[in-house]
């Protein structure tokens, strides 16, 4: 069949027209990475980027929970353990912060088991931080005398002048002074020769010196053996014999924890042997979260006056420096022959301790 000349002319390209471009060949696809010898299938990242933040959050949560869990466990088991537990027990209420952050990070990581652990640690830490209980009953006799007690650590005697001004303003009848060096002792006994003429003291330099001033007659002087002075005596108050004892054991710094426990144990032994009204006050270098301190209360059937006044978490140390006070280590302990009216905490210039001022009622036998 002959072709149509017109159709052939139409299909023939014009001399000035470019020929139609050839279709581009498809680019070759990149070759898949070859698997390592002995491995079949394509290579895959076992930890994709989306999983790494969760893994990091879980790791941080676990680290944050270690210290609160350890310290709270020792608190619940009624033991002070070994370094660093005695030191960390002073921070117990504040350990709810890392425990709470640990719970938050566990939730971010979506780890149910870790989150449940964090809930338990946080709840246990918070519960352990509640005010401690008392092991004694409140006396029901009629008040026979009002007793105002002041306990102060003057830090090597540096706060002596501030303490003198405080005594003149507050007019306590019993004053327990820790870290009162020889110059401090002379200044106090001279300044209050009329108001507080009776005293029992340990005359020594630096932190070893202590003095107990009294408006009431003192007899039967005794001293609990310790590195720093802990004098005591029997005061005659409104016809009743009251045992007064200053407490100042060594602090639980690393390397001295055994000394700290031993000296607190001697205070415990004194408290356990007590008969009749008793007042033990001073710088205990221990908080309500230390088992060695709670043992004194338990064995002596004593109450912490701050606990009775619902102020058992009022911090007394450190009272100077960049860190605000975070732990109460200065206490006034009373037997059940005393009622507690009020407790106040006073700042003294020159010392790293706040003083404790307790208003008490001494009760009669009936």
């Amino acid at each position: 069949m002959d072709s149509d000349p017109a159709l052939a002319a139409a299909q023939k390209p014009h001399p000035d027209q470019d020929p139609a471009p050839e279709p581009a060949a498809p680019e070759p696809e990149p070759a898949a990475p070859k698997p390592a010898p002995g491995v079949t299938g394509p290579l895959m990242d076992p930890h994709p980027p989306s999983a790494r933040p969760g893994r990091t959050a879980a790791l941080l949560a676990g680290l944050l929970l270690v210290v609160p869990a350890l310290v709270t466990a020792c608190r619940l088991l009624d033991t002070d353990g070994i370094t660093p537990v005695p030191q960390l027990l002073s921070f117990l209420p504040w350990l709810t912060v890392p425990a709470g952050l640990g719970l938050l990070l566990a939730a971010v990581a979506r780890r149910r088991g870790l989150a449940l652990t964090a809930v338990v640690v946080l709840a246990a830490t918070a519960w352990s931080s509640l005010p401690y209980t008392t092991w004694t009953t409140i006396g029901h006799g009629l008040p026979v005398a009002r007793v105002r007690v002041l306990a102060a650590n003057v830090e090597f005697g540096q706060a002596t002048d501030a303490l003198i001004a405080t005594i003149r303003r507050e007019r306590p009848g019993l004053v327990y002074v820790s870290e009162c060096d020889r110059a401090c002792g002379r200044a106090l006994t001279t300044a209050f020769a009329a108001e507080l003429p009776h005293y029992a003291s340990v005359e020594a330099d630096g932190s070893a010196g202590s003095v107990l001033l009294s408006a009431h007659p003192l007899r039967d002087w005794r001293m609990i053996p310790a590195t720093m002075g802990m004098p005591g005596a029997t005061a005659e108050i409104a016809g009743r014999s009251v045992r007064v004892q200053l407490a100042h054991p060594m602090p639980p710094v690393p390397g001295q924890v055994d000394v700290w426990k031993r000296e607190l144990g001697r205070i415990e032994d004194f408290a356990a042997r007590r008969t009749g009204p008793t007042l033990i006050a001073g710088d205990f270098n221990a908080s309500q979260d230390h088992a060695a301190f709670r043992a004194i209360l338990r064995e002596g059937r004593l109450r912490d006056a701050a606990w009775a006044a619902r102020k058992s978490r009022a911090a007394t140390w450190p009272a100077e420096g960049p860190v605000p006070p975070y732990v109460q280590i200065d206490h006034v302990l009373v037997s059940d022959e005393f009622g507690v009216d009020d407790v106040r905490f006073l700042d003294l210039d020159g010392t790293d301790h706040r003083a404790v001022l307790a208003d008490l009622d001494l009760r009669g036998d009936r």
Side-chain angles (χ1 to χ4, degrees):
M1 183 177 180
D2 294 337
S3 60
D4 188 348
L7 179 61
Q11 292 177 346
K12 184 177 181 180
H14 192 274
D16 297 333
Q17 182 180 1
D18 293 334
E22 296 285 339
E27 296 183 1
E29 295 182 1
K34 295 181 179 181
V39 179
T40 59
L43 290 178
M44 297 185 65
D45 185 354
H47 302 293
S50 60
R52 289 171 189 163
R55 183 182 181 187
T56 301
L59 177 61
L60 290 175
L63 292 175
L64 285 169
L65 292 172
V66 169
V67 171
L70 172 64
V71 175
T72 300
C74 289
R75 173 65 175 82
L76 295 175
L77 293 172
D78 200 32
T79 178
D80 292 322
I82 60 175
T83 298
V85 174
Q87 296 84 8
L88 291 173
L89 278 166
S90 299
F91 297 90
L92 180 61
W94 305 102
L95 294 182
T96 54
V97 175
L101 290 175
L103 174 59
L104 179 62
L105 288 173
V108 170
R110 297 183 179 181
R111 305 292 177 88
R112 292 184 180 180
L114 182 61
L116 179 59
T117 300
V119 168
V120 172
V121 171
L122 178 59
T125 304
W127 184 85
S128 299
S129 300
L130 295 175
Y132 53 167
T133 57
T134 179
W135 286 275
T136 188
T137 58
I138 300 175
H140 298 289
L142 294 176
V144 296
R146 184 71 176 268
V147 182
R148 174 167 283 187
V149 176
L150 177 65
N153 181 317
V154 292
E155 195 177 5
F156 312 114
Q158 297 174 157
T160 301
D161 292 340
L163 178 61
I164 290 174
T166 300
I167 294 173
R168 286 175 175 162
R169 183 182 69 249
E170 302 294 344
R171 299 180 181 277
L174 288 169
V175 182
Y176 298 70
V177 190
S178 305
E179 296 193 20
C180 182
D181 60 7
R182 299 178 192 274
C184 165
R186 288 193 297 269
L188 291 173
T189 54
T190 300
F192 300 104
E195 299 91 339
L196 303 166
H198 311 283
Y199 65 91
S201 65
V202 174
E203 296 183 7
D205 296 322
S207 63
S210 296
V211 63
L212 199 165
L213 303 173
S214 174
H216 315 280
L218 296 179
R219 59 176 174 82
D220 190 23
W221 290 15
R222 295 182 184 178
M223 184 177 68
I224 295 178
T227 307
M228 297 182 286
M230 294 200 289
T234 299
E236 294 296 330
I237 304 176
R240 300 208 66 180
S241 295
V242 178
R243 187 64 191 173
V244 292
Q245 177 64 52
L246 186 146
H248 192 205
M250 288 291 285
V253 297
Q256 295 182 347
V257 172
D258 289 342
V259 178
W260 170 74
K261 289 182 179 180
R262 183 165 58 248
E263 294 184 354
L264 281 171
R266 290 172 183 166
I267 300 173
E268 176 190 342
D269 292 340
F270 165 80
R273 296 193 305 267
R274 76 165 188 87
T275 57
T278 303
L279 292 172
I280 308 176
D283 171 14
F284 285 77
N285 278 313
S287 73
Q288 69 175 59
D289 299 312
H290 290 105
F293 176 75
R294 295 193 303 276
I296 297 172
L297 299 173
R298 182 173 57 249
E299 297 302 321
R301 306 291 295 175
L302 300 170
R303 286 177 296 146
D304 191 332
W307 173 88
R310 298 182 180 180
K311 298 177 181 178
S312 63
R313 285 295 183 188
T316 63
W317 186 87
E320 62 182 3
V323 179
Y326 60 82
V327 62
Q328 183 182 126
I329 60 175
D330 301 87
H331 309 272
V332 174
L333 308 186
V334 303
S335 60
D336 56 6
E337 290 87 357
F338 287 92
V340 179
D341 291 334
D342 190 25
V343 171
R344 288 185 285 145
F345 300 90
L346 311 177
D347 294 322
L348 299 179
D349 292 335
T351 178
D352 56 348
H353 289 253
R354 299 176 73 196
V356 183
L357 185 70
D359 286 319
L360 312 172
D361 287 323
L362 175 61
R363 301 179 183 276
D365 293 331
R366 297 181 180 179

